[in-house]
Amino acid sequence: MEQIERIKTYLLNLQEKICTELECFEPEQRFEQDAWERDSGGGGLTRVLANGETFEQAGVNFSHVYGNNMPAPATAQRPELADCRFNALGVSLVIHPRNPYVPTSHANVRFFVAEKENYPPVWWFGGGFDLTPYYPFADDVVDWHRSARDACRPFGEDVYLRFKQWCDEYFYLKHRDETRGVGGLFFDDLNEWGFERSFEFMQSVGDHFCKAYIPIVKRRRDTDYSQRERDFQLYRRGRYVEFNLLYDRGTMFGLQSGGRTESILMSLPPVVNWRYQWQPQPGSAEYALYEHYLKPRDWLNDSL
């Protein structure tokens, strides 16, 4: 499919742009770059910044893998594609800040195409971004969702609400009965708009990530915090681990397609704690996260 090179060029440029934006917060640390190859076809470029002043760990990955049999996570809704040749490429990132008042954030944009002899190619785009605060501020959450709406607005007035709801439903820990964070956007299997418009939408989502996240980092990175806030951050990071290992399609696709394990599990936080049957004290800042934020809501119209 000739459009793959166009998508690849955009994705590599997006990876570079995001890394450059994040490095502006770090006086010394820089992203380490690690190119890798997949034995059965393709490879990628993993970029990780560790032990920074602002970011305890940030990973921004590009991958382009291909082969003769689509992995199971990519054919869950289309089992007839299991024996097709495929190309899968995308950028995926997870940012774990050091300060508990700066939210963790995740984003990815991706493209799949499956091809079989004597049949037209079957392709789709997917992606989105979501925010996982520990000590949330309503203004930050509203601004985050405004950026998500801005990314969607040129494509229809209903697009933001449609993909916001999908995000709320996707980033949901069923065994905990809570959302992973305050949501954002999630979309998959997008092809009904035609290739050009679908590609434009994927680019809009990718381009709006920094517009949404960087202002929040600037506002909160110098907030004073104590060991109490740090301990709660490490405890809540456990929810991130649980979701990624139990539910995340990208993690499953990467592992089942023979992707590079180190790059796939880069999304996990560098330090995390679990506590047995811990409950927040009513009226505390920690309690407010559970009471007001870990449930779907209309952030652009509701008031806390």
Side-chain angles (χ1 to χ4, degrees):
M1 191 174 183
E2 61 185 19
Q3 293 93 338
I4 285 177
E5 285 305 313
R6 291 176 57 202
I7 300 169
K8 184 174 181 179
T9 297
Y10 167 75
L11 292 172
L12 287 170
N13 287 338
L14 178 66
Q15 181 189 40
E16 176 64 26
K17 175 185 175 182
I18 293 172
C19 290
T20 299
E21 292 263 13
L22 297 179
E23 284 183 341
C24 290
F25 292 98
E26 299 295 346
E28 297 183 5
Q29 297 300 96
R30 293 292 178 264
F31 278 90
E32 295 186 8
Q33 188 166 291
D34 188 10
W36 54 274
E37 294 184 0
R38 175 175 172 268
D39 290 341
S40 52
L45 182 64
T46 296
R47 302 182 69 175
V48 175
L49 186 153
N51 299 315
E53 288 188 11
T54 299
F55 304 115
E56 192 168 3
Q57 182 167 293
V60 186
N61 288 345
F62 165 80
S63 64
H64 177 196
V65 300
Y66 47 84
N68 293 322
N69 296 100
M70 292 276 281
T75 61
Q77 306 301 320
R78 296 185 176 96
E80 71 277 7
L81 301 180
D83 60 345
C84 289
R85 300 186 307 277
F86 75 94
N87 274 267
L89 59 162
V91 163
S92 179
L93 65 96
V94 178
I95 302 168
H96 293 290
R98 186 174 298 279
N99 190 314
Y101 286 94
V102 182
T104 285
S105 188
H106 157 263
N108 77 80
V109 285
R110 58 187 181 272
F111 176 75
F112 290 88
V113 59
E115 298 177 278
K116 183 186 291 188
E117 191 172 356
N118 299 321
Y119 290 89
V122 177
W123 56 266
W124 62 91
F125 289 92
F129 51 66
D130 65 286
L131 194 70
T132 306
Y134 307 102
Y135 291 91
F137 295 82
D139 289 349
D140 293 346
V141 180
V142 170
D143 286 350
W144 175 261
H145 279 274
R146 282 177 179 153
S147 292
R149 182 186 61 188
D150 290 346
C152 297
R153 181 167 276 168
F155 302 88
E157 289 299 320
D158 66 327
V159 173
Y160 162 71
L161 291 176
R162 173 184 165 193
F163 293 152
K164 175 199 176 296
Q165 180 179 352
W166 201 346
C167 186
D168 290 336
E169 294 171 353
Y170 179 72
F171 291 106
Y172 182 77
L173 287 85
K174 302 177 183 67
H175 62 291
R176 298 286 190 181
D177 193 24
E178 64 187 39
T179 58
R180 188 170 79 171
V182 297
L185 299 172
F186 180 86
F187 68 100
D188 207 358
D189 304 316
L190 179 66
N191 58 19
E192 67 264 30
W193 297 341
F195 178 85
E196 290 299 333
R197 190 157 179 80
S198 299
F199 184 25
E200 288 173 5
F201 180 71
M202 187 198 79
Q203 293 175 80
S204 184
V205 171
D207 294 343
H208 275 80
F209 171 75
C210 284
K211 295 177 184 179
Y213 188 57
I214 295 300
I216 297 173
V217 178
K218 288 180 177 178
R219 285 199 293 265
R220 308 303 173 191
R221 67 186 178 120
D222 295 323
T223 304
D224 291 335
Y225 65 92
S226 67
Q227 189 61 44
R228 169 179 168 162
E229 287 98 331
R230 174 64 170 170
D231 289 343
F232 184 62
Q233 177 196 45
L234 300 186
Y235 170 72
R236 287 297 309 175
R237 280 179 176 178
R239 299 292 205 270
Y240 214 89
V241 174
E242 291 173 19
F243 181 87
N244 277 27
L245 296 183
L246 290 174
Y247 303 117
D248 187 70
R249 293 183 192 173
T251 300
M252 289 187 287
F253 175 84
L255 294 174
Q256 294 185 25
S257 65
R260 184 171 183 262
T261 301
E262 286 296 311
S263 299
I264 297 163
L265 298 184
M266 167 280 309
S267 63
L268 301 181
V271 184
V272 61
N273 288 333
W274 276 269
R275 303 186 213 173
Y276 181 68
Q277 290 190 337
W278 182 85
Q279 297 292 325
Q281 181 178 354
S284 66
E286 294 80 12
Y287 186 82
L289 174 70
Y290 291 82
E291 186 72 9
H292 300 299
Y293 291 90
L294 298 183
K295 55 189 72 175
R297 60 188 303 166
D298 182 357
W299 291 105
L300 299 183
N301 294 296
D302 289 355
S303 59
L304 288 175

